Amino acid sequence: MDAIAGASVSSSARLPRLRRIGNVAPATVRRRSRRRAVARSSAAADADVVGLFDAAKLTVDRFVESGMVVGLGSGPASGLAIQYLGTRLRRGSLTGIMGIPSSTISATEAEKAGIQVSSYKEGTQIDFAFTDADVIEEDTLTAVIGRRKTESGDPSFMEEKSIVKSAGKLAFIIGHEKYVKGIEGSIPVLVKSANWIDTAEEIDDLFLGDAEVWRRPSIGTADPLGGDFPLVTKEGHHVLDVIFTTPILDLGKVAESLEKIAGVVDHGIVSSIPSYVVVALDGEVQLLDEKSSVVP
């Protein structure tokens, strides 16, 4: 028994002593640090939402007038703009608005907001459209859309792109981190299902060393072939993600190159369309066009 007791004492003597900071144990300090980090992260997220709402509000107040046909975009900022547009309609400060949703989600948000909607058809006259952009090229205001996940059977970004191209006026609503020079990451490309591998190989050869080409999956982990369940859009097409690992010097030239490839139906680059960009930046909102495309 004495031997056991002696071993116990000897063992405990070797254990490191719990260092205290002031009168607080380290574990307590770590918990408090984590809570503070979470609180800071939450506060930053709240500030981002407030900034996007201010940008969405300015977009509606500046560009939407009674009696307009309005293209309703997709994404967090567009959702906030749809909500605010519904508020203006309920107050009676706007009347006679017809919304053209660009996705199932924006159609649902418009219905909740009390906005009358109609489906997009080729030739539809749209007075003004707003939407999110995944990223916008500084100076040129060329945008990338379509990176957001869609489900098999849903409309592709092609419908969103058709709506913005049909609009008399267009505004992208973004946070400042999406307004960049030298864009990297995915350019979504819509391709015909038949012979899609040949199309993917031609795109891969075109951007050899600068980008990888992956077929987008509907579920599961992505891989170059799209896994066991590749995404098939409502139109019956596949989506290739052309993932640039080096900065793109000119998005417009990338768009022109893709359009020359047989099998490419469309892509997520929106270029050569006069547009405004409404940027949420550090508690302020910047409104940019081609003549003033530099955020100070």
Side-chain angles (χ1 to χ4, degrees):
M1 186 63 137
D2 290 340
I4 294 174
S8 175
V9 170
S10 175
S11 235
S12 64
R14 287 195 298 270
L15 291 175
R17 295 187 62 188
L18 189 64
R19 188 171 63 89
R20 302 180 72 88
I21 300 176
N23 292 320
V24 183
T28 304
V29 172
R30 287 195 296 271
R31 285 195 297 271
R32 290 180 180 176
S33 297
R34 283 195 294 269
R35 284 198 293 267
R36 284 195 293 269
V38 169
R40 284 195 295 269
S41 175
S42 177
D46 289 345
D48 289 344
V49 171
V50 170
L52 279 182
F53 177 76
D54 288 342
K57 182 175 180 295
L58 183 144
T59 301
V60 173
D61 289 342
R62 175 70 180 266
F63 295 107
V64 180
E65 299 176 3
S66 292
M68 276 188 168
V69 177
V70 179
L72 308 176
S74 300
S78 295
L80 293 169
I82 290 170
Q83 292 174 25
Y84 179 66
L85 180 56
T87 299
R88 291 278 313 265
L89 287 168
R90 288 192 298 274
R91 290 174 180 169
S93 55
L94 284 173
T95 59
I97 298 296
M98 175 64 70
I100 309 294
S102 62
S103 66
T104 304
I105 292 174
S106 59
T108 301
E109 290 172 335
E111 183 180 354
K112 290 179 181 177
I115 301 170
Q116 186 179 355
V117 298
S118 178
S119 299
Y120 174 77
K121 297 178 181 62
E122 189 173 350
T124 299
Q125 297 297 310
I126 299 173
D127 299 298
F128 170 68
F130 59 78
T131 194
D132 289 46
D134 296 307
V135 66
I136 288 183
E137 186 176 60
E138 189 178 319
D139 297 334
T140 67
L141 304 190
T142 299
V144 175
I145 63 173
R147 289 181 178 176
R148 293 183 295 275
K149 179 176 172 55
T150 55
E151 303 293 337
S152 280
D154 281 354
S156 69
F157 59 83
M158 188 168 68
E159 188 160 320
E160 181 180 1
K161 188 172 176 180
S162 296
I163 288 173
V164 301
K165 288 172 69 175
S166 300
K169 285 185 179 180
L170 168 65
F172 293 105
I173 312 171
I174 61 168
H176 67 92
E177 73 282 356
K178 295 185 177 182
Y179 187 71
V180 300
K181 201 176 191 73
I183 289 171
E184 297 182 39
S186 168
I187 303 297
V189 181
L190 203 64
V191 298
K192 296 177 182 177
S193 298
N195 301 319
W196 74 268
I197 291 181
D198 294 337
T199 306
E201 288 178 348
E202 189 169 350
I203 295 172
D204 191 46
D205 290 342
L206 179 64
F207 302 115
L208 191 63
D210 295 320
E212 299 177 357
V213 181
W214 289 38
R215 184 167 62 157
R216 189 177 296 185
S218 58
I219 58 173
T221 304
D223 66 26
L225 297 180
D228 295 329
F229 303 97
L231 177 68
V232 180
T233 70
K234 180 182 177 182
E235 303 89 359
H237 304 311
H238 291 310
V239 178
L240 301 181
D241 283 303
V242 183
I243 305 168
F244 283 82
T245 54
T246 59
I248 300 171
L249 300 179
D250 189 330
L251 265 180
K253 288 184 178 178
V254 171
E256 291 174 5
S257 299
L258 289 170
E259 289 162 6
K260 294 175 182 176
I261 296 176
V264 170
V265 179
D266 207 342
H267 51 74
I269 300 174
V270 182
S271 60
S272 304
I273 300 175
S275 59
Y276 296 88
V277 179
V278 187
V279 185
L281 173 66
D282 298 331
E284 298 181 356
V285 177
Q286 300 275 345
L287 178 61
L288 308 177
D289 59 19
E290 287 84 353
K291 296 177 182 178
S292 59
S293 58
V294 178
V295 174

